[in-house]
Amino acid sequence: MPHSPQTVPLTVGFDLDMTLIDSRPGIKAAYDALSAETGVYVDSDLVVSRLGPPVEEELAHWFPAEEVGATADRYRALYPAHAVHGTDALPGAREAIAAVHRHGGRAIVVTAKYQPNAELHVDHLGLGPDTVIGSLWAEGKASALRAHGARVYVGDHVGDVRGARAAGAHSVAVATGPCAGEELSAAGADTVLPDLTAFPDWLDAHLAGLAV
């Protein structure tokens, strides 16, 4: 017999870059290292202004198509030494995950980032999600969200909104990344918050509404 909304176990998905963590300083450093090693100019300030899509999409702006795959592998190899310790949690990140756990739920990270590097961030910062799934972008995130029964997905990019909608999850968008609140709303976000500090109160109210 299907669960009612009140009895389905709560699972909330979170994006990583610019949702839970401010990865701009670390990613900038990793791209600068890649540029120095390859001799190919990369405007790392521009790169970090448009985070969200997979690294291959960004590298395609700077490297010939036939070199993108190998360069992406090299970037991922350079990443741990340059990006992890330069990255901090965004305000409210730990509290947002704790709020899910307080309601007896599971918090999962679903990100376009290479999973081993995503796990390094999560472990270094002690964010405490229940699982991390990497290398999924936009609508591709729906497969993991559906597999884990996520009822809510929180992200900062219009691609995250598309992923939530494709999974049939409530899309919560935070305006902490490259997309303004108006853009996130226009993309179909069900809820737009200024940042994750507002998430625990929103979750309390959302779950109370489901229980009415």
Side-chain angles (χ1 to χ4, degrees):
M1 182 176 181
H3 289 288
S4 70
Q6 295 91 338
T7 60
V8 173
L10 173 66
T11 298
V12 175
F14 293 90
D15 178 48
L16 186 63
D17 289 342
M18 302 313 300
T19 298
L20 290 171
I21 65 174
D22 184 354
S23 50
R24 290 172 297 185
I27 289 176
K28 176 178 169 58
Y31 270 98
D32 287 343
L34 180 70
S35 179
E37 182 177 290
T38 61
V40 174
Y41 172 73
V42 176
D43 184 343
S44 58
D45 289 316
L46 178 58
V47 168
V48 300
S49 74
R50 56 190 185 195
L51 297 180
V55 66
E56 287 85 356
E57 291 192 22
E58 182 59 49
L59 290 171
H61 295 291
W62 311 102
F63 291 84
E66 65 274 14
E67 296 178 14
V68 165
T71 306
D73 290 342
R74 184 57 186 153
Y75 169 83
R76 294 182 179 113
L78 289 167
Y79 191 96
H82 294 277
V84 174
H85 291 276
T87 295
D88 292 322
L90 281 164
R94 293 181 179 86
E95 293 83 357
I97 291 173
V100 176
H101 290 155
R102 175 165 49 82
H103 282 285
R106 298 178 69 251
I108 65 173
V109 171
V110 182
T111 175
K113 191 180 292 297
Y114 180 54
Q115 185 165 319
N117 289 341
E119 290 171 345
L120 289 174
H121 281 299
V122 165
D123 292 344
H124 174 66
L125 295 171
L127 294 177
D130 295 279
T131 193
V132 177
I133 304 103
S135 300
L136 295 174
W137 164 238
E139 289 84 356
K141 294 185 175 187
S143 59
L145 295 173
R146 287 193 299 263
H148 287 269
R151 291 157 51 187
V152 175
Y153 184 61
V154 186
D156 66 281
H157 197 283
V158 293
D160 298 322
V161 176
R162 300 202 311 268
R165 292 175 65 85
H170 187 103
S171 171
V172 176
V174 288
T176 47
C179 302
E182 296 80 4
E183 185 180 0
L184 295 163
S185 182
D190 299 297
T191 300
V192 178
L193 303 175
D195 56 44
L196 282 180
T197 63
F199 180 80
D201 286 345
W202 174 85
L203 184 64
D204 290 346
H206 178 70
L207 293 177
L210 291 178
V212 170

